[in-house]
Amino acid sequence: MKLYFKLICLLVFFSQIGLNANNRTKRSSNKITIKKETNQQSQPVYFAANLKEFLDALGANRTIIITNDIYIKEELNQVVTDTSKFFMKQPNANGIGGQPKYNNEFYAIEGAYWSSVATKESLTKNNFSEFIKDEIKLVIKKAHNLTIMTNNSSSIIMTQSEDEVISFEDLTNFTLLNLSIFHEIETDGGCGEFAPVIAFKNASHITVDNCKLNGSGTEGIHTNNVNGLTVVHTDVFNCNKRGFSFEKSKGIIISNCTIYSNTLTNSPSIFYLIESEVQILKTSITSNTSDTSTPMVYKDDKSTITFKECYIAENTNFTITPEIMAGTIKNLVEISEKEGIYTPYKNYFVNAKSGLNYRATPKGKIVGKFPINTKVTVIKYTKVFDEITDGGKVLKGEWVGIQQKTDTVYVFNSFLSSSPTDLELKIYELSPYYKEENGDTRTAFVNLSDTYFSSIKYDNMLLNQEITSDTIVLNLKQRALFLKKINISDADTIFIYEIENDTVYSYNVKNLPLIACVNIYVGASENESDFEFGFDLGKLTINYSNFVYVGKENPFQTKQLKPMVWKTIANKDFPIKFDAKVVNKDIRSWFDGVIPEKSYIFKDNNYNYFIQNLERDGSVNYRYMVVLNATSNELIFSDVLIDSEGSYLIPLNTEDNENAYNEIQWSGALFKDKPVVTFGYEGYSFGCPSITLISKTAPPISILCDNRH
């Protein structure tokens, strides 16, 4: 039974290597779903690449994944088109009001009280241009059990200095995840009285997780009549009035956040409370400045705020009470060493392609260079802001202090990012031609949807009458637009590397049709994001295990990749003892009580690969992988592999069962001018496999497999 289960896992793994082998002739009655870990229920998922798609996707009980930056102001002309949804809010008895509003079930676009729009009739004369030109506010409302998130660092941006970037009202069980939200125009104190990044009103059970809230206005978050708000792993910076303001709000928790580089004016406070209850936990509050001496916390007699295990340092002109100090950590050493305490240090990766110069002082003498994807730790915010022109673009940022051994060096933070930079090598997979027993066929297909939907701002290409079709062959105009958007030309070539046969096949792009096929997890297609886009390679039949590249030159090398056969070694000979500190602190508890089960070694390409199975309660759900230089024993790479809801561990091909599972793990110099690679360790129910580069700085190459379901 155990062997049978492993064989089933292998079939699933190789089907993923083959782009999940979708049937392109049948529809499925299932919706696109994603499993939420918070409640173990499924929700429909909607992808949004612009403001219109985002607003159209709004509703209750769903997840919206934003795939591109959304510029609210600039994209309004695609949304505000129906005069029946527009009305004028009448002024009150004191003459206050008269505010125009464009209203929908789950959102409203509110104009300013001083709007130049006089009547509904005036809209048809100017095609809403006056309404759009004036100050506006986007309000999301009544969309309960909603998650708004991104997987690719997309932002929500407002290019006006008044009002919040986005407001959320009359909703419950709402989550913002992984988003960057900001005013693009930095107001430098001239924004007016109220211009927070986000505002919540009449809401409950709200979570803001792993977001960047760039004030460029008054404050990061404002609440009014909120019951239950948790802000976690979120940065709040560049505000000019407050960090947070809470009115008539209970159950507010700020945990594991960083509040830094806020320059506040007109006697402000970082925390402002009216009739509210707030907890600040394990949060770093550093490098904030007030123009006059002022309390760090302002609260009325009906409010309470507590601090626990926070780090507060290098703030200027703020009064800190003994109650606040009682809830702080005294020094950086204590923070970095005490288990479970959030470190104020922030880890980033160098994203400058040619490397990043570091200096002895901000803007000072160059003393060295960090290669691309070097992981660095920011330990100081200097408040020395600057503008640098790079590649024709003006980059705004701050000079920050970086820990370099025992010294502090300085870099410009616009060349740092929160994740490693891809090495500009987009790898896809081909699902080969297949004929079912009932005669239905599936054409060989290279799916390019991940690049089209996630990496660029796309325009709808399909005609309304085409949306209801299962498969569409793009016409010449659609083809030209699609190729332009994904940066591929008819002069390029498709290179297909078949792994097991160690063979490269090539096809000219100009000779291949581009098609759009309905994703099998969609019921009735409603818009373009329900389709998969890619090249039709007809009846090409090759092995499912393959990699595909589209470009001018073949990146693959043959006779370099080898199957890995693992040799069992004693656990005591494993070179580095596993310590749960090598994994993210949020999941360290998963590894409580793990012990080594079996250890293995594979030697090749000047590297020694080690894998150790980690056992807990009789099950092996984790593997610890270490790669050493065979000559110097220097640690080159390490990783922890996890059997989870979305991924599973692939069996190892060991000496005592060689070829029992065919050739599963591989290593070798697959790519020209790139480090040695290895892959084949994990299979995925959600997400896509990746190719690991044996390097201290190079990130893995994610396979663009469009695993939507």
Side-chain angles (χ1 to χ4, degrees):
M1 179 64 70
K2 188 172 182 180
L3 176 60
Y4 175 77
F5 175 75
K6 288 183 177 180
L7 289 173
I8 292 297
C9 289
L10 287 177
L11 291 174
V12 175
F13 170 70
F14 285 122
S15 71
Q16 288 196 345
I17 289 288
L19 254 177
N20 298 292
N22 290 339
N23 184 330
R24 310 198 180 282
T25 62
K26 291 185 176 180
R27 291 175 182 253
S28 166
S29 60
N30 298 327
K31 283 184 174 289
I32 305 173
T33 59
I34 185 171
K35 187 163 284 186
K36 292 194 68 180
E37 294 181 2
T38 53
N39 56 20
Q40 297 301 309
Q41 295 177 355
S42 294
Q43 287 192 335
V45 173
Y46 297 82
F47 293 86
N50 53 53
L51 179 64
K52 184 178 188 305
E53 291 185 0
F54 170 61
L55 297 179
D56 288 346
L58 286 171
N61 305 307
R62 63 191 60 196
T63 294
I64 300 174
I65 299 179
I66 296 175
T67 60
N68 267 320
D69 290 346
I70 292 178
Y71 286 82
I72 296 174
K73 190 81 170 174
E74 285 71 14
E75 299 180 34
L76 280 178
N77 62 338
Q78 301 297 321
V79 176
V80 182
T81 57
D82 185 353
T83 54
S84 67
K85 296 179 180 180
F86 183 89
F87 70 94
M88 296 292 295
K89 181 179 178 181
Q90 297 302 312
N92 60 22
N94 297 320
I96 299 175
Q99 162 187 31
K101 179 185 289 188
Y102 189 85
N103 200 39
N104 212 315
E105 181 179 5
F106 295 109
Y107 70 88
I109 300 167
E110 299 180 356
Y113 289 114
W114 55 85
S115 174
S116 58
V117 177
T119 64
K120 179 185 291 191
E121 289 71 25
S122 67
L123 292 173
T124 57
K125 296 179 181 179
N126 61 38
N127 196 27
F128 292 91
S129 61
E130 292 298 324
F131 176 67
I132 294 172
K133 182 178 67 176
D134 288 340
E135 306 291 346
I136 61 94
K137 178 173 71 172
L138 174 60
V139 179
I140 309 301
K141 58 180 182 175
K142 301 179 181 178
H144 308 298
N145 303 312
L146 171 67
T147 294
I148 301 174
M149 62 176 291
T150 184
N151 293 324
N152 64 352
S153 303
S154 293
S155 300
I156 299 177
I157 304 160
M158 175 66 82
T159 54
Q160 69 180 37
S161 59
E162 299 288 343
D163 295 309
E164 54 266 59
V165 176
I166 190 167
S167 181
F168 303 93
E169 300 182 4
D170 303 308
L171 42 73
T172 187
N173 295 330
F174 172 77
T175 298
L176 282 175
L177 178 63
N178 300 338
L179 285 161
S180 176
I181 308 175
F182 60 95
H183 298 90
E184 187 171 65
I185 300 175
E186 295 190 8
T187 57
D188 295 328
C191 61
E193 288 298 312
F194 189 72
V197 178
I198 51 179
F200 296 101
K201 182 179 180 181
N202 302 329
S204 62
H205 306 297
I206 309 299
T207 299
V208 179
D209 187 358
N210 194 36
C211 292
K212 294 185 182 298
L213 308 181
N214 180 344
S216 304
T218 54
E219 56 239 280
I221 296 178
H222 170 80
T223 70
N224 189 325
N225 193 28
V226 167
N227 182 16
L229 165 67
T230 299
V231 185
V232 61
H233 300 302
T234 289
D235 293 352
V236 176
F237 56 100
N238 203 22
C239 300
N240 61 41
K241 190 171 184 178
R242 307 180 184 102
F244 298 87
S245 62
F246 306 108
E247 297 184 24
K248 298 181 179 180
S249 298
K250 312 294 183 183
I252 308 298
I253 298 175
I254 312 297
S255 176
N256 290 281
C257 292
T258 303
I259 306 167
Y260 72 97
S261 292
N262 297 288
T263 303
L264 311 183
T265 59
N266 299 321
S267 300
S269 297
I270 295 176
F271 302 97
Y272 178 87
L273 286 72
I274 301 294
E275 298 182 33
S276 297
E277 298 174 357
V278 179
Q279 298 180 67
I280 314 296
L281 309 175
K282 302 177 182 178
T283 287
S284 168
I285 307 168
T286 61
S287 302
N288 302 288
T289 300
S290 171
D291 63 345
T292 59
S293 180
T294 189
M296 178 170 285
V297 175
Y298 172 85
K299 64 182 182 69
D300 65 2
D301 294 338
K302 297 181 179 180
S303 297
T304 61
I305 185 169
T306 58
F307 291 78
K308 184 178 180 181
E309 298 175 345
C310 295
Y311 179 75
I312 302 176
E314 299 185 12
N315 300 289
T316 303
N317 282 339
F318 290 104
T319 303
I320 302 175
T321 65
E323 289 80 7
I324 295 176
M325 290 305 300
T328 63
I329 299 299
K330 295 180 181 179
N331 57 66
L332 299 178
V333 174
E334 187 174 357
I335 283 186
S336 61
E337 293 183 353
K338 188 171 182 179
E339 185 67 25
I341 304 302
Y342 176 73
T343 172
Y345 294 164
K346 298 289 290 185
N347 293 322
Y348 294 94
F349 296 87
V350 172
N351 61 26
K353 295 179 181 178
S354 59
L356 179 59
N357 292 328
Y358 57 84
R359 303 168 188 263
T361 60
K363 302 185 182 182
K365 180 181 177 181
I366 296 173
V367 292
K369 177 181 282 191
F370 293 120
I372 186 173
N373 288 321
T374 300
K375 187 176 182 180
V376 297
T377 301
V378 174
I379 61 174
K380 185 176 183 180
Y381 297 95
T382 67
K383 299 183 184 178
V384 178
F385 297 97
D386 204 353
E387 293 185 7
I388 292 178
T389 300
D390 181 69
K393 295 182 179 180
V394 177
L395 305 178
K396 296 182 179 181
E398 179 182 2
W399 289 90
V400 294
I402 300 294
Q403 183 176 343
Q404 172 70 342
K405 298 181 180 179
T406 59
D407 296 327
T408 300
V409 296
Y410 297 87
V411 301
F412 190 58
N413 69 354
S414 288
F415 296 107
L416 302 178
S417 57
S418 58
S419 59
T421 301
D422 289 338
L423 298 183
E424 299 183 346
L425 195 63
K426 293 185 183 298
I427 299 297
Y428 305 92
E429 292 168 333
L430 176 135
S431 55
Y433 173 82
Y434 182 76
K435 186 174 183 178
E436 297 186 6
E437 292 182 359
N438 63 5
D440 288 342
T441 60
R442 180 195 59 236
T443 186
F445 186 65
V446 175
N447 191 329
L448 306 173
S449 301
D450 270 5
T451 298
Y452 181 53
F453 288 127
S454 300
S455 300
I456 47 84
K457 186 170 183 175
Y458 70 89
D459 301 315
N460 286 327
M461 296 185 304
L462 303 182
L463 303 176
N464 290 335
Q465 61 267 32
E466 295 176 321
I467 293 296
T468 57
S469 302
D470 281 290
T471 302
I472 302 161
V473 179
L474 301 193
N475 61 37
L476 291 178
K477 181 178 179 181
Q478 292 169 328
R479 176 189 178 90
L481 178 60
F482 181 85
L483 292 179
K484 180 179 179 182
K485 290 293 185 180
I486 64 173
N487 198 29
I488 291 176
S489 80
D490 275 325
D492 288 335
T493 301
I494 296 179
F495 299 97
I496 304 171
Y497 177 74
E498 190 176 22
I499 297 172
E500 292 186 11
N501 291 328
D502 193 30
T503 303
V504 176
Y505 306 91
S506 61
Y507 299 86
N508 294 327
V509 167
K510 65 180 180 180
N511 297 330
L512 297 174
L514 271 171
I515 60 175
C517 312
V518 174
N519 183 278
I520 64 169
Y521 293 98
V522 174
S525 54
E526 298 175 351
N527 53 59
E528 189 169 288
S529 60
D530 293 334
F531 287 80
E532 300 173 5
F533 290 81
F535 290 112
D536 179 358
L537 278 81
K539 294 186 177 182
L540 176 63
T541 54
I542 66 171
N543 197 287
Y544 275 108
S545 52
N546 62 75
F547 298 131
V548 177
Y549 174 77
V550 186
K552 296 289 186 292
E553 297 182 4
N554 173 26
F556 302 111
Q557 299 184 119
T558 57
K559 301 180 180 179
Q560 298 295 322
L561 206 59
K562 297 180 180 179
M564 303 173 76
V565 179
W566 298 89
K567 178 182 179 181
T568 304
I569 60 173
N571 288 330
K572 64 180 179 62
D573 294 330
F574 198 83
I576 301 176
K577 183 179 179 180
F578 174 75
D579 188 329
K581 289 183 179 180
V582 301
V583 301
N584 188 294
K585 62 180 178 299
D586 295 334
I587 63 171
R588 286 177 188 169
S589 61
W590 297 4
F591 295 85
D592 292 345
V594 299
I595 59 174
E597 189 242 10
K598 289 184 179 179
S599 300
Y600 304 91
I601 187 173
F602 172 78
K603 299 181 178 182
D604 191 39
N605 295 305
N606 301 316
Y607 296 113
N608 291 335
Y609 300 76
F610 295 87
I611 276 187
Q612 186 172 80
N613 290 338
L614 300 176
E615 181 183 48
R616 187 174 74 171
D617 300 329
S619 298
V620 175
N621 293 319
Y622 315 107
R623 282 189 182 134
Y624 185 33
M625 180 178 180
V626 170
V627 182
L628 304 182
N629 182 291
T631 303
S632 65
N633 281 330
E634 178 186 8
L635 176 64
I636 305 299
F637 176 83
S638 66
D639 194 13
V640 177
L641 310 174
I642 299 175
D643 191 326
S644 66
E645 182 180 12
S647 63
Y648 53 88
L649 301 177
I650 297 296
L652 298 178
N653 205 22
T654 60
E655 285 185 338
D656 56 352
N657 67 351
E658 185 175 353
N659 296 322
Y661 307 115
N662 295 316
E663 298 160 333
I664 300 175
Q665 290 84 37
W666 299 81
S667 73
L670 173 62
F671 298 109
K672 300 172 184 176
D673 302 320
K674 293 286 189 292
V676 166
V677 307
T678 187
F679 58 89
Y681 299 89
E682 292 179 292
Y684 290 83
S685 304
F686 302 95
C688 300
S690 61
I691 302 171
T692 296
L693 279 74
I694 304 303
S695 165
K696 290 184 177 181
T697 60
I701 298 174
S702 297
I703 308 301
L704 301 171
C705 76
D706 187 16
N707 190 8
R708 279 181 275 171
H709 61 288

